[in-house]
Amino acid sequence: MRSIWNGAISFGLVSIPIKLVNATESHSVSFRQIHTEDGGRIRYRKVCELEDREVTQAEIGKAYEDADGSMIPITDEDLSQLPIPTARTIEIVAFVPEDRIDPLQMGSAYYLAASGAPAAKPYTLLREALKRSNRVAIAKFALRGRERLGMLRVVGDAIAMHGLLWPDEVRAPEGVAPEGGVTVREQELDLADALMDTLGEIDLDDLHDEYQEAVEEVIAAKAAGERPPEAPAEAPPGKVLDLMAALESSVRAARESRDGEETGVGGEAEHAEVRSLPQRKTSARRAPKETGGKKSTSTAAKKTAAKKAEPKKSTARPSAGSAKKTAAKSAAKKTTAKGTTRSGDKAAAKSTAKNTAKKTASRRRSA
């Protein structure tokens, strides 16, 4: 970063050589003036009124215009010899708590960089002293032809300086507040608190300049010969008749927006939100049937009992191996029984034949 001022910090009898650099930068899109008829560039030329000719920068000096219109020339040498100690020095005059500084006084911000190795030690000393005391330093310095007021504070490992307006440069807020007595009810304050809580906090790093982005899109479209994007038509704002109703609507809209952002972070949250909608409708439709209560409960109990009974049947069923063994045993028993029946029939047939032969022989003898 290029330095815009070189000097020293006067900290009592300690002198700290420093360089002043800008801590902020502007990203706004700059435009040039052109002649609308032919697109020619409009330029400003510095012309001497007495000679009626254009002059160069080397011929230009400074002067103070008196009340009668006469010019009093002031040279750079005159300004460099001003009888003030802050011409090349940031003179610390006090250390105060930061909340003593009115934000209305704060202006441009700068970084103070240590100039060279000899400045590293006293620079670090001042930085650590400001850290430990939780205070800021009030200083005077001269920049761009005038003496200014500044506030030094610690930012990270660096010392920053904010230009401050002099107290008499801050205007009093007279005539700004609404006139007449206006009363605010407690309910309105409660809704305002609820709205603030719902909106919550925000990370300032997430904020960006949407106007600049829109301007860049217009420039890119016209450079490519395309039609620039148009803003959507805005709905006419409604007339606020009731402050309470407006606050309630604001709280409701803020909560819906916050809920939508939280559920839209990941895919799972989005699916969960989609599934919850039909569940609410189904429960609302089935609510009257569930009030009957007993039939649905008994049916569920029977289904539960049937489910419990099924595992018992499955455990009572024999396995494949045991079924084969049982079938083999029953087949063996049947085979044994058949063999026993056949042998018994043969013995009976033999005894019957013997008895028949004996009867025939006795008949023959008697004959």
Side-chain angles (χ1 to χ4, degrees), residues 22 31 40 93 105 108 119 161 195 198 201 208 291 305 319 335 346:
N22 285 318
F31 296 100
V93 296
Q105 291 183 254
S108 302
M161 181 174 68
L195 179 58
T198 305
E201 299 181 357
H208 59 281
T291 53
S319 60
T335 305
K346 290 179 179 180

Side-chain angles (χ1 to χ4, degrees), residues 65-247:
E65 185 177 3
D66 204 356
D68 58 358
S70 61
M71 296 295 176
I72 304 174
I74 302 294
T75 64
D76 291 338
E77 185 179 357
D78 294 334
L79 296 177
S80 63
Q81 295 179 357
L82 291 175
I84 56 174
T86 57
R88 283 292 174 186
T89 304
I90 299 175
E91 182 184 5
I92 296 177
V93 296
F95 293 90
V96 299
E98 189 171 359
D99 57 5
R100 287 271 303 275
I101 305 300
D102 189 346
L104 288 174
Q105 291 183 254
M106 299 182 68
S108 302
Y110 309 93
Y111 286 132
L112 304 179
S115 180
K121 181 73 173 181
Y123 185 95
T124 305
L125 173 64
L126 176 59
R127 182 191 66 197
E128 296 303 318
L130 290 173
K131 277 185 181 180
R132 190 169 69 172
S133 65
N134 291 324
R135 288 181 291 180
V136 296
I138 304 300
K140 290 182 178 182
F141 66 101
L143 181 64
R144 298 189 178 100
R146 56 170 295 191
E147 188 177 52
R148 302 169 185 267
L149 196 62
M151 178 189 75
L152 277 65
R153 69 185 184 96
V154 179
V155 178
D157 292 332
I159 298 176
M161 181 174 68
H162 296 269
L164 299 179
L165 298 175
W166 296 98
D168 59 355
E169 293 179 322
V170 179
R171 302 170 64 180
E174 295 179 356
V176 178
E179 298 179 357
V182 179
T183 58
V184 179
R185 294 181 293 172
E186 290 294 331
Q187 295 85 348
E188 295 170 341
L189 285 174
D190 293 339
L191 283 174
D193 291 339
L195 179 58
M196 290 189 292
D197 294 338
T198 305
L199 293 176
E201 299 181 357
I202 191 173
D203 188 358
L204 295 180
D205 294 334
D206 296 336
L207 300 177
H208 59 281
D209 190 352
E210 297 181 1
Y211 180 83
Q212 177 191 345
E213 294 178 355
V215 171
E216 292 175 352
E217 290 179 3
V218 171
I219 294 174
K222 299 201 74 172
E226 301 174 356
R227 185 177 180 180
E230 297 180 356
E234 296 183 359
K239 188 176 180 180
V240 179
L241 299 177
D242 185 3
L243 181 59
M244 287 288 291
L247 287 171

Side-chain angles (χ1 to χ4, degrees), residues 3 17 20 37 44 54-55 57 83 117 125 216 241 246 281 307 337:
S3 63
L20 192 70
E37 292 185 1
Y44 293 93
E54 186 178 355
V55 296
Q57 185 64 34
L125 173 64
E216 292 175 352
L241 299 177
K281 293 180 180 180
K307 289 182 179 179

